[in-house]
Amino acid sequence: IMSLYQGHKAIKVPKNTTTWDIDPYSKEVLLDPERFFSALREKGPFVYLNKYKMLACGRYKETKEVFSDHKRFVSSRGVGIQDFKLEKPWRPPSLVLEVDPPEHTRNRRFLTQALSPNKIATLKVFFKNCADKLIKELLQKKEIDGISDLAEIFPTKVFPEAVGLKKIDKETLLGYGAMVFNALGPDNEFRKDAMAKGLSVLEKINKQCLEENIDAKGLAKEIYRNTADISEEDNLAGMLVRSLLSAGIDTTVSAIGNLLWCFSKNPEQFRLLKNDKSLIGNAVEESLRLTSPVKAFCRTSAVETEVSGIVMEEGTKILCVLGSANTDPEFWNNPYKYDVTRRTIGHLALGVGVHNCVGQTLARAEIVALASSLIERVKSIKPIGEAVWKPNNAMRSLERLPIILEA
């Protein structure tokens, strides 16, 4: 009988692999991952995590290889620590994040059709108007919390409206996001806490994604239209709408909070943007690279295979630490510097290969709209207290960011 550990196969230490006693899901590491990142990269292409009987990688080269090879390293067995082939997941798997081709190809196509460039182009105007309005209000207040007053407000307002969800509130959306991402970790305090709050939230979310609760104009309606022929599948459209929500809110909230943090810590970069608005898109990418809102996702080896001389048995869970790969000095020059002129092509913050983030055009449109408003309307963004990070098993996001917006 195979022994399971935290829901996955407990693998043996591969030859030439260092073992490490660290807990990557401990509060210290979650709150301050940079020391963990450099130690992880130093220990070799892969390390064996004694506590979880699985591998982790944090160098750019190996992380990219594992993350982008969907044939050898699958997502369908769960992108968290649990192996769905061996243990039943806590909710039906995401139809995009947790499936592989060919189902993945088909499901993703429905979402990409709904998120067509034309559709996004019309939304850009709406996003920008909302951003202008919000920044104008916040400039009256001057002293704000970048997270609760801005990062959490903007996506939870514009996203449901763009998707066409009629009755959904900010708390439900944020609670659901926290649950989805904490659930990817082991059964620690953060997962238990999110799950305890979460199950009533799940019910609300599933109900909200039903066709009768959807506006005729939004992206969700489009998904229902595109999948109308595939009636034999139980609520395929509702599940696809749900996967947009789980991926589209929390990650965008984190990305906006992290971008504000970058702006507040690097006033000279903010000034550069004010002088050259063509750098806005790049400033957003650089913040994604530097702060990697999704810090780590797992893959499972579907076959016995080898990467960088390390042989892995079938069923090996691998923690791909994207935050570490995105700050690997072997690949990035001066990786911890926030530099809006950097060529950020190749960062892994939104995934890579067939599983790159399907909602990224939508998320980018939101974040760029907000960044443009800030750059046009705000003279400077200054910290007025310590930024407080929030522990989460898979995300890197802020809990508080006290700042002053000066007109």
Side-chain angles (χ1 to χ4, degrees), residues 381-396:
I381 300 175
K382 291 194 178 122
I384 45 167
E386 277 301 303
V388 180
W389 293 92
K390 172 166 61 179
N392 179 300
N393 285 328
M395 303 227 32
R396 186 163 190 214

Side-chain angles (χ1 to χ4, degrees), residues 146-167:
I147 307 309
S148 59
D149 292 331
L150 211 172
E152 289 181 353
I153 297 290
F154 188 65
T156 50
K157 181 187 181 316
V158 300
F159 187 85
E161 205 160 317
V163 176
L165 303 176
K166 289 188 234 175
K167 341 180 240 288

Side-chain angles (χ1 to χ4, degrees), residues 153-384:
I153 297 290
F154 188 65
T156 50
K157 181 187 181 316
V158 300
F159 187 85
E161 205 160 317
V163 176
L165 303 176
K166 289 188 234 175
K167 341 180 240 288
I168 201 146
D169 57 286
K170 176 172 140 245
E171 274 56 48
T172 303
L173 285 169
L174 294 173
Y176 182 59
M179 182 170 73
V180 168
F181 285 99
N182 272 310
L184 297 175
D187 202 20
N188 59 9
E189 54 173 311
F190 310 116
R191 187 177 196 273
K192 286 190 173 87
D193 191 40
M195 294 307 239
K197 292 193 187 105
L199 294 165
S200 58
V201 168
L202 190 59
E203 223 168 285
K204 274 191 199 165
I205 290 276
N206 287 339
K207 200 169 145 193
Q208 182 58 68
C209 296
L210 296 172
E211 193 160 15
E212 62 261 30
N213 295 323
I214 280 170
D215 213 297
K217 290 194 301 290
L219 301 170
K221 195 67 177 174
E222 197 101 342
I223 294 172
Y224 270 94
R225 273 197 294 271
N226 295 343
T227 54
D229 309 340
I230 315 182
S231 54
E232 78 276 6
E233 282 189 54
D234 193 30
N235 193 19
L236 173 71
M239 293 277 289
L240 285 169
V241 174
R242 192 197 75 181
S243 60
L244 261 189
L245 281 185
S246 49
I249 295 285
D250 246 53
T251 44
T252 316
V253 169
S254 302
I256 290 171
N258 296 359
L259 178 68
L260 283 169
W261 179 74
C262 289
F263 284 169
S264 69
K265 303 263 288 186
N266 303 277
E268 78 299 340
Q269 298 293 317
F270 190 70
R271 278 196 297 278
L272 264 179
L273 292 174
K274 286 185 77 64
N275 296 329
D276 182 356
K277 293 196 176 65
S278 73
L279 291 169
I280 290 178
N282 212 55
V284 170
E285 297 305 314
E286 171 68 344
S287 156
L288 289 170
R289 176 200 71 79
L290 177 63
T291 66
S292 302
V294 176
K295 189 167 45 201
F297 265 166
C298 291
R299 292 286 186 259
T300 312
S301 62
V303 289
E304 180 177 304
T305 184
E306 176 266 329
V307 178
S308 297
I310 306 293
V311 177
M312 298 164 199
E313 55 184 281
E314 182 277 332
T316 300
K317 266 287 172 191
I318 304 160
L319 182 69
C320 298
V321 187
L322 307 173
S324 172
N326 281 337
T327 48
D328 182 354
E330 290 293 310
F331 189 84
W332 307 98
N333 183 26
N334 198 356
Y336 286 110
K337 165 126 183 67
Y338 178 68
D339 175 4
V340 298
T341 64
R342 185 195 298 274
R343 201 167 164 275
T344 52
I345 306 292
H347 76 70
L348 307 178
L350 298 165
V352 63
V354 300
H355 281 287
N356 69 37
C357 164
V358 67
Q360 58 184 304
T361 44
L362 188 62
R364 280 198 176 96
E366 287 178 58
I367 303 166
V368 166
L370 193 64
S372 308
S373 283
L374 283 165
I375 283 148
E376 286 161 21
R377 291 163 179 268
V378 176
K379 197 173 99 206
S380 68
I381 300 175
K382 291 194 178 122
I384 45 167

